[in-house]
């Protein structure tokens, strides 16, 4: 059994271009699908957030339309409620990478607010990348890669990744409201964003880095991370 670190946003809102605070947090499916996969494989999960705050789930991600019906939405909500790790996160700034076999970042719009500019998260990501340990990041989670910068160079520059695309942000209704778009900002940082069909599962593997484009990519990403742990 290995110990896997889940790094979640501590934000419960996303500040839009006009200053409006949009309620958000982490996206349920992106936490639950890997959580269930890793636990079923016998691994221990530790949750870390900036400051050790209890993470907020984006309530929209618990809606029936995002979970293939109300029955599964209720099941996902139940998994989150029973996941005691989410109620007792450690402080991200206190994390020692040596304690973990893999690192995973789910998305939701929350990382656009805090992890995108969190220096502790940026250092952890840089260390994880260099360590060769499996590192998984999905959907808006790659916003955290923007903070992995030293001397003006992003640690992920030149890496191929999947991330929430401009088309998906447009279709979700936020592209014209956001201060910046994730695909654009990653590209500006030298990260090579591989764009797949909107909302279809897509993962990209580049060395020890495994990334997913959207919520539907979180389950296949978990499978790939587990394979790298074997």
């Amino acid at each position: 059994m290995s110990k896997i670190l889940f790094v979640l946003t501590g934000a419960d809102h996303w500040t839009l271009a006009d200053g409006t605070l949009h309620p958000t947090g982490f996206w349920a499916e992106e936490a639950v699908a890997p959580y269930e996969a890793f636990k079923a494989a016998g691994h221990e999960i530790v949750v870390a957030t900036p400051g050790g705050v209890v993470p907020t789930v984006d309530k929209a991600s618990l809606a029936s339309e995002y979970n293939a019906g109300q029955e599964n939405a209720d099941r996902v909500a139940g998994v989150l409620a029973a996941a005691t790790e989410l109620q007792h996160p450690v402080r991200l700034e206190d994390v020692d990478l040596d304690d973990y076999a893999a690192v995973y970042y789910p998305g939701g719009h929350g990382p656009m607010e805090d992890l995108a500019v969190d220096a502790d998260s940026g250092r952890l990501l840089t260390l994880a990348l260099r360590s060769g340990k499996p590192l998984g990041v999905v959907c808006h989670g790659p916003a955290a890669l923007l903070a992995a910068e030293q001397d003006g160079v992003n640690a992920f520059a030149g890496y191929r990744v999947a991330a929430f695309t401009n088309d998906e942000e447009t279709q979700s209704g936020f592209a014209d409201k956001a201060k910046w778009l994730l695909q654009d900002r990653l590209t500006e940082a030298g990260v090579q964003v591989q764009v797949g069909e909107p909302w279809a599962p897509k993962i990209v593997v580049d060395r020890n880095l495994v990334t997913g484009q959207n919520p539907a990519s979180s389950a296949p990403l978990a499978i790939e991370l587990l394979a790298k742990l074997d």
Side-chain angles (χ1 to χ4, degrees):
M1 183 177 76
S2 299
K3 191 181 293 187
I4 300 175
L5 181 70
F6 271 43
V7 180
L8 271 68
T9 176
D12 62 4
H13 67 272
W14 176 33
T15 305
L16 302 178
D18 66 357
T20 300
L21 303 184
H22 172 69
T24 186
F26 68 89
W27 198 259
E29 180 179 0
E30 296 165 25
V32 168
Y35 179 89
E36 291 186 305
F38 298 153
K39 295 283 274 193
H43 298 296
E44 179 183 350
I45 291 171
V46 175
V47 171
T49 63
V53 302
V54 175
T56 299
V57 62
D58 189 318
K59 288 183 173 56
S61 69
L62 296 174
S64 62
E65 58 264 35
Y66 295 121
N67 291 281
Q70 190 60 48
E71 182 177 351
N72 193 55
D74 292 342
R75 187 192 70 80
V76 168
V79 172
L80 290 177
T84 56
E85 299 93 339
L86 289 168
Q87 304 306 315
H88 303 283
V90 301
R91 286 163 38 96
L92 177 58
E93 45 270 47
D94 296 338
V95 165
D96 184 345
L97 181 63
D98 290 342
D99 295 337
Y100 303 94
V103 179
Y104 172 65
Y105 278 66
H109 278 115
M112 302 277 281
E113 185 73 20
D114 61 352
L115 297 181
V117 293
D118 189 291
D120 293 305
S121 174
R123 282 191 289 271
L124 176 66
L125 283 165
T126 300
L127 289 172
L129 192 65
R130 292 174 178 170
S131 73
K133 295 180 179 183
L135 171 60
V137 195
V138 72
C139 200
H140 287 92
L145 308 187
L146 298 171
E149 186 177 286
Q150 290 182 320
D151 300 322
V153 178
N154 191 283
F156 293 84
Y159 276 77
R160 294 178 298 107
V161 307
F164 202 68
T165 65
N166 289 355
D167 283 346
E168 287 168 322
E169 203 71 86
T170 298
Q171 292 177 25
S172 68
F174 287 105
D176 61 349
K177 301 175 183 177
K179 290 182 178 179
W180 47 272
L181 298 179
L182 179 57
Q183 180 185 333
D184 290 347
R185 189 63 67 84
L186 288 170
T187 301
E188 291 166 5
V191 182
Q192 300 176 15
V193 181
Q194 312 292 296
V195 177
E197 289 296 316
W199 312 112
K202 180 179 178 62
I203 63 169
V204 173
V205 181
D206 191 341
R207 288 156 276 188
N208 61 315
L209 177 65
V210 184
T211 50
Q213 180 171 310
N214 45 38
S217 306
S218 54
L221 184 151
I223 292 171
E224 186 66 34
L225 274 188
L226 284 172
K228 284 185 172 293
L229 277 171
D230 291 341

